[in-house]
Amino acid sequence: MSTERLNYTLIDLIKYFLKLGTTGFGGPVALVGYMHRDLVENKKWINDSDFKEGLALSQLAPGPLAAQLGIYIGFVHFGILGATLSGLAFVIPSFIMVVLLGIAYQAYGGLPWMQAIFYGISAAVIGIIVLSSYKLTVKSISKFEVPAIKNNWLLWIFYIAATVLTAVTQKEELLLFVALGFIYMIVKAPPEWIKRPKTASLFFLTTAGLSSIELGKLGDLAWFFIKAGAFVFGSGLAIVPFLHAGVVNEHGWLTEHQFVDAVAVAMITPGPVVITVGFIGYLVAGATGATIAALGVFLPCYLFTVIPAPYFKKISQNKSIKAFVDGITAGVIGALVGAVIVIALRTIIDIPTAMIATGTVLILTYIKKIQEPHIIAIAALLGVLLKLI
């Protein structure tokens, strides 16, 4: 925990994450971009070094990226209490929204209007995350200028490699990020144990095979979502294939159409994309199922963020560790850009969606008074007009 003089309180931070959880659209890339813009650039509550450390730790640990970063930011100045309250404030607004949508979904037998709304919103979301990706790239790697690129050529190679790999495989590889961190550390600031070989301790997250236990439906639900939270690395979007395999193919809790609607709900609601688990849990077992699913996914990510945070903060001032973090961050940002490419290819399906996405980027770039929630509302209206009228 930092001891520097603060220009904000824990209440201020809780209010910020409640607002972000209520109005922050666009998935992990956009949410990370919002946090950086608001907390680092504008409010100056968190310094850039702390933010980058949090981003690197969030990528290394399993679970949804944006939620972990929010938890880490709460931890920086306010310890366990800050981490806990920031995480809850970030997640609860969107959890309530998806449960209410789950109630509506079951009551009316589907969401025909949602497809029209999603048609417009998803295109706008692409515009939002493309712009966020650009800003993160400039901030974390370098500006798109020849001297800056030459000076950071190795980070650019890492960034491009991670972008291409993620776009092609549609997965985010933990070992790739770790490898990039080690390579950059060895090149830029080799640690003493490499110069003078000694026994080095490395910590790896491992999974243990557990025998099947008859838990009943709620028990099965809890265990499945704990595994989803504990063993899926990358952004909230990375959890979607894992969820599909489990809830549709393995357990048969949802039909294919219901699952697609669940992903749509995640994208049209603010906050972490992974909050779709609340919608899925509600369809499977009502409000209890929604709560169990959300706790199952977010508890592991909370523990994997808070437990290593003090150690990570302590060693982060070491030059070798800083280089390690820089290498990982280049891979992280590249992977996020790769994820944007994957989503965009599935979302920009015709001229209207391409125009909505392009218009979103232009508006956010040149008309500062219009913010993301305004654009989301306009895009939803356009979707309805284009599809239903």
Side-chain angles (χ1 to χ4, degrees):
M1 231 181 359
S2 176
T3 57
E4 65 191 78
R5 185 176 179 84
L6 303 181
N7 61 344
Y8 73 109
T9 66
L10 178 55
I11 297 298
D12 292 330
L13 193 62
I14 291 169
K15 287 179 180 177
Y16 171 77
F17 277 113
L18 280 171
K19 181 181 178 183
L20 185 64
T22 305
T23 63
F25 290 91
V29 182
L31 290 168
V32 169
Y34 300 154
M35 288 185 217
H36 191 275
R37 178 196 65 192
D38 298 336
L39 302 180
V40 179
E41 295 176 0
N42 296 342
K43 297 179 184 292
K44 302 189 187 304
W45 289 354
I46 302 293
N47 63 47
D48 195 54
S49 175
D50 283 332
F51 187 89
K52 287 175 68 176
E53 289 158 14
L55 183 59
L57 176 58
S58 300
Q59 187 63 55
L60 280 174
L65 179 71
Q68 287 171 298
L69 183 56
I71 291 167
Y72 185 88
I73 286 172
F75 183 87
V76 169
H77 292 140
F78 300 106
I80 298 293
L81 181 63
T84 305
L85 295 180
S86 294
L88 287 172
F90 186 32
V91 170
I92 284 175
S94 52
F95 174 75
I96 292 171
M97 290 180 204
V98 297
V99 170
L100 291 175
L101 285 170
I103 293 170
Y105 190 93
Q106 284 199 330
Y108 299 106
L111 300 173
W113 51 270
M114 178 170 284
Q115 300 306 316
I117 289 175
F118 180 64
Y119 174 80
I121 286 179
S122 59
V125 163
I126 294 300
I128 292 170
I129 59 180
V130 164
L131 190 59
S132 295
S133 300
Y134 169 78
K135 289 180 178 179
L136 280 172
T137 299
V138 170
K139 190 69 180 178
S140 300
I141 314 298
S142 79
K143 292 181 180 179
F144 286 86
E145 299 171 352
V146 174
I149 292 173
K150 282 184 177 179
N151 194 46
N152 296 280
W153 64 271
L154 188 54
L155 290 180
W156 275 102
I157 289 175
F158 292 170
Y159 170 86
I160 294 168
T163 299
V164 172
L165 185 65
T166 303
V168 171
T169 66
Q170 300 182 21
K171 294 188 294 184
E172 293 174 335
E173 300 291 344
L174 170 70
L175 292 180
L176 170 67
F177 301 131
V178 175
L180 295 180
F182 272 112
I183 292 170
Y184 199 68
M185 177 179 69
I186 291 168
V187 171
K188 291 293 183 180
E192 289 298 320
W193 57 264
I194 287 181
K195 296 174 183 175
R196 294 181 286 111
K198 295 179 181 178
T199 302
S201 296
L202 298 177
F203 296 91
F204 294 98
L205 294 169
T206 60
T207 62
L210 299 176
S211 59
S212 297
I213 306 171
E214 286 299 322
L215 299 169
K217 188 176 220 179
L218 290 178
D220 288 339
L221 196 69
W223 178 234
F224 172 74
F225 283 106
I226 286 171
K227 287 190 292 182
F231 302 147
V232 176
F233 290 85
S235 71
L237 297 169
I239 205 172
V240 170
F242 183 91
L243 293 180
H244 182 268
V247 303
V248 178
N249 300 335
E250 182 183 346
H251 295 287
W253 288 330
L254 300 185
T255 65
E256 190 77 41
H257 180 69
Q258 286 175 319
F259 183 80
V260 172
D261 285 346
V263 176
V265 164
M267 294 302 289
I268 70 165
T269 51
V273 170
V274 76
I275 201 61
T276 187
V277 301
F279 184 85
I280 293 170
Y282 185 86
L283 295 189
V284 176
T288 304
T291 304
I292 287 174
L295 286 174
V297 163
F298 285 105
L299 183 60
C301 98
Y302 169 80
L303 295 175
F304 279 123
T305 304
V306 169
I307 292 172
Y311 178 71
F312 197 80
K313 178 68 178 173
K314 183 178 178 180
I315 65 173
S316 63
Q317 299 308 309
N318 180 285
K319 287 185 178 180
S320 297
I321 297 299
K322 282 187 174 182
F324 181 68
V325 170
D326 286 342
I328 289 177
T329 302
V332 169
I333 304 298
L336 292 177
V337 172
V340 174
I341 293 170
V342 173
I343 301 167
L345 290 174
R346 295 173 179 172
T347 305
I348 307 302
I349 55 176
D350 52 24
I351 292 175
T353 49
M355 291 178 67
I356 292 172
T358 304
T360 298
V361 173
L362 294 174
I363 289 169
L364 287 176
T365 302
Y366 296 107
I367 307 176
K368 301 301 182 183
K369 289 183 179 180
I370 298 182
Q371 299 298 313
E372 290 84 0
H374 305 141
I375 289 180
I376 292 293
I378 294 168
L381 180 61
L382 285 173
V384 171
L385 290 174
L386 289 167
K387 287 295 185 181
L388 298 183
I389 297 177

